[in-house]
């Protein structure tokens, strides 16, 4: 579905004085030597067409100045808000339970589960977070001993949510390769065209695996202008998580229970959304060239008519 807009719509107000002048500032033929000069006129009809063409040319030139555009709403590029990668910790420590505490809402959501691990809860909140991303593209990286892209960055959030159902704790190993997680998340942005790129890195442990160090991973993110928001839960290395966030221009958060973790996701979304204007992501087809060509064609036609008088 397409819709039309103007980049400089306020210039349309210039039309008012122009039309007023065209109406009031008329040409007058002053008869000096021939009292019957009206007999030499080529006809009233031509002058009416001429006046109409002059007005139309002025209007078209003014429309050209307002820069008309066409935006295709079905184009995924026009739905860019942010590109977000959720880097979820799937290490052995994420199998621990007790993170729900006394949060009744979450207890109700897992009432049929005998064991609710940190990973289960993190996955549940990640799905809820993704469902609310109306204008954003989302991808998921799972890490443990190594990291892999569980879902590439996409606008099809339902697909990402469905994919999360298949992720299990331990799928990527039992250790915590934070450096690998960041590097793989950066790799997920390879084809991203968004101006705001965000990694939300959740961990409950210390970096103890992988070939890429957290320092190297952060350097890759900074090079690509990607912010990293870090969330520490359980026994996470808070000092490292703070360092990662500060170096990349993101922020550090710590959650002691499910409610705090949910509010952190909401706060991160609020922080990033306030910095973005949707107009930055419009993929536009400029139409002023067509309007200008029509105006030039009419002007040439008018000149041709004048030359034939």
């Amino acid at each position: 579905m397409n819709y039309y807009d103007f980049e400089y719509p306020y210039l349309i107000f210039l039309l008012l004085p122009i039309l007023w002048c065209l109406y009031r500032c008329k040409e007058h033929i002053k008869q000096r030597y021939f009292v019957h000069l009206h007999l030499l006129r080529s006809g009233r009809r031509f002058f009416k067409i001429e006046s109409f063409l002059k007005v139309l040319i002025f209007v078209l030139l003014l429309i050209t100045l307002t820069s008309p555009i066409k935006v295709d709403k079905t184009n995924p590029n026009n739905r860019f808000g942010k590109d977000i990668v959720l880097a979820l910790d799937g290490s052995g420590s994420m199998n621990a339970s007790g993170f729900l505490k006394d949060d009744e809402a979450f207890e109700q959501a897992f009432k049929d589960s005998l064991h609710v691990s940190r990973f289960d809860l993190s996955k549940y909140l990640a799905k809820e977070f993704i469902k609310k991303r109306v204008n954003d593209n989302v991808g998921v990286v799972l890490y443990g001993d190594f990291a892999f892209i569980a879902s590439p960055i996409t606008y099809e959030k339902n697909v990402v949510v469905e994919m999360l159902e298949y992720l299990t704790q331990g799928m990527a190993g039992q250790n915590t390769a934070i450096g690998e997680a960041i590097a793989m998340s950066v790799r997920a942005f390879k084809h991203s065209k968004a101006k705001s790129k965000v990694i939300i890195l959740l961990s409950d442990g210390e970096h103890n695996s992988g070939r890429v160090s957290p320092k190297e991973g952060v350097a890759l993110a900074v090079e690509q202008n990607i912010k990293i928001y870090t969330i520490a839960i359980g026994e996470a290395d808070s000092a490292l998580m703070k360092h990662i966030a500060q170096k990349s221009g993101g922020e550090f958060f710590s959650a002691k229970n499910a409610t705090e973790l949910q509010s952190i996701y909401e706060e991160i979304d609020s922080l990033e959304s306030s910095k973005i204007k949707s107009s930055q992501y419009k993929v536009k087809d400029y139409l002023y060239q067509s309007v200008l060509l029509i105006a030039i064609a009419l002007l040439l036609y008018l000149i041709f008519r004048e030359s034939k008088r």
Side-chain angles (χ1 to χ4, degrees), residues 46 53-54 57 60-61 292-308:
F46 171 72
L53 289 178
K54 287 181 179 179
I57 290 170
L60 290 175
L61 289 175
L292 182 59
L293 285 174
I294 294 173
I296 292 174
L298 290 175
L299 180 60
L300 292 175
Y301 175 72
L302 186 62
I303 294 173
F304 173 77
R305 288 289 297 265
E306 289 281 358
S307 66
K308 291 295 184 180

Side-chain angles (χ1 to χ4, degrees), residues 244-273:
I244 291 172
Q246 290 173 354
K247 285 293 183 180
S248 65
E251 291 193 29
F252 165 77
F253 300 91
S254 178
K256 297 179 181 178
N257 54 52
T259 301
E260 289 185 4
L261 182 56
Q262 183 182 41
S263 63
I264 287 170
Y265 275 118
E266 294 173 354
E267 185 173 353
I268 291 174
D269 177 60
S270 176
L271 286 170
E272 279 301 308
S273 296

Side-chain angles (χ1 to χ4, degrees), residues 40-103:
L40 300 177
R41 294 178 182 174
S42 58
R44 293 173 178 248
R45 185 180 177 186
F46 171 72
F47 285 101
K48 290 183 179 180
I49 294 175
E50 183 184 55
S51 300
F52 172 76
L53 289 178
K54 287 181 179 179
V55 173
L56 183 58
I57 290 170
F58 271 110
V59 171
L60 290 175
L61 289 175
L62 185 59
I63 292 175
T64 301
L65 289 176
T66 62
S67 187
I69 58 174
K70 181 178 73 173
V71 181
D72 183 1
K73 294 180 70 174
T74 62
N75 188 330
N77 291 333
N78 286 323
R79 296 181 297 210
F80 281 167
K82 304 176 287 292
D83 274 4
I84 302 172
V85 170
L86 300 178
L88 301 179
D89 189 344
S91 63
S93 57
M94 288 292 287
N95 194 42
S97 58
F99 196 62
L100 287 174
K101 300 292 184 183
D102 298 323
D103 302 302

Side-chain angles (χ1 to χ4, degrees), residues 193-260:
K193 296 179 181 179
K195 293 185 179 180
S196 180
K197 304 174 185 179
V198 175
I199 296 172
I200 301 178
L201 175 69
L202 182 144
S203 178
D204 76 333
E206 299 180 351
H207 171 75
N208 57 13
S209 184
R211 297 181 179 180
V212 180
S213 69
K215 182 179 179 180
E216 293 171 329
V218 172
L220 291 173
V222 171
E223 183 180 348
Q224 298 296 323
N225 197 28
I226 300 171
K227 294 180 182 179
I228 306 176
Y229 289 88
T230 57
I231 304 175
I233 62 175
E235 296 76 40
D237 186 346
S238 296
L240 175 61
M241 300 289 273
K242 285 180 181 178
H243 178 76
I244 291 172
Q246 290 173 354
K247 285 293 183 180
S248 65
E251 291 193 29
F252 165 77
F253 300 91
S254 178
K256 297 179 181 178
N257 54 52
T259 301
E260 289 185 4

Side-chain angles (χ1 to χ4, degrees), residues 104-272:
E104 295 181 4
F106 297 105
E107 293 284 4
Q108 184 67 22
F110 294 99
K111 64 180 180 179
D112 296 327
S113 302
L114 298 176
H115 172 77
V116 181
S117 66
R118 294 171 182 167
F119 184 79
D120 292 330
L121 180 65
S122 299
K123 191 167 69 170
Y124 169 78
L125 290 176
K127 288 188 288 186
E128 294 301 306
F129 176 79
I130 292 170
K131 290 176 183 177
K132 297 177 182 178
R133 310 276 60 76
V134 177
N135 297 311
D136 303 326
N137 298 307
V138 183
V140 175
V141 166
L142 184 70
Y143 70 99
D145 291 324
F146 59 93
F148 68 91
I149 299 174
S151 172
I153 297 174
T154 177
Y155 186 76
E156 303 299 331
K157 267 80 74 173
N158 291 335
V159 175
V160 182
V161 170
E162 184 177 348
M163 178 280 308
L164 278 170
E165 293 287 349
Y166 297 98
L167 296 184
T168 60
Q169 181 276 320
M171 185 179 284
Q174 301 299 321
N175 291 309
T176 309
I178 293 178
E180 294 275 0
I182 299 173
M184 189 59 65
S185 297
V186 171
R187 184 177 178 182
F189 289 101
K190 182 177 180 180
H191 300 292
S192 172
K193 296 179 181 179
K195 293 185 179 180
S196 180
K197 304 174 185 179
V198 175
I199 296 172
I200 301 178
L201 175 69
L202 182 144
S203 178
D204 76 333
E206 299 180 351
H207 171 75
N208 57 13
S209 184
R211 297 181 179 180
V212 180
S213 69
K215 182 179 179 180
E216 293 171 329
V218 172
L220 291 173
V222 171
E223 183 180 348
Q224 298 296 323
N225 197 28
I226 300 171
K227 294 180 182 179
I228 306 176
Y229 289 88
T230 57
I231 304 175
I233 62 175
E235 296 76 40
D237 186 346
S238 296
L240 175 61
M241 300 289 273
K242 285 180 181 178
H243 178 76
I244 291 172
Q246 290 173 354
K247 285 293 183 180
S248 65
E251 291 193 29
F252 165 77
F253 300 91
S254 178
K256 297 179 181 178
N257 54 52
T259 301
E260 289 185 4
L261 182 56
Q262 183 182 41
S263 63
I264 287 170
Y265 275 118
E266 294 173 354
E267 185 173 353
I268 291 174
D269 177 60
S270 176
L271 286 170
E272 279 301 308

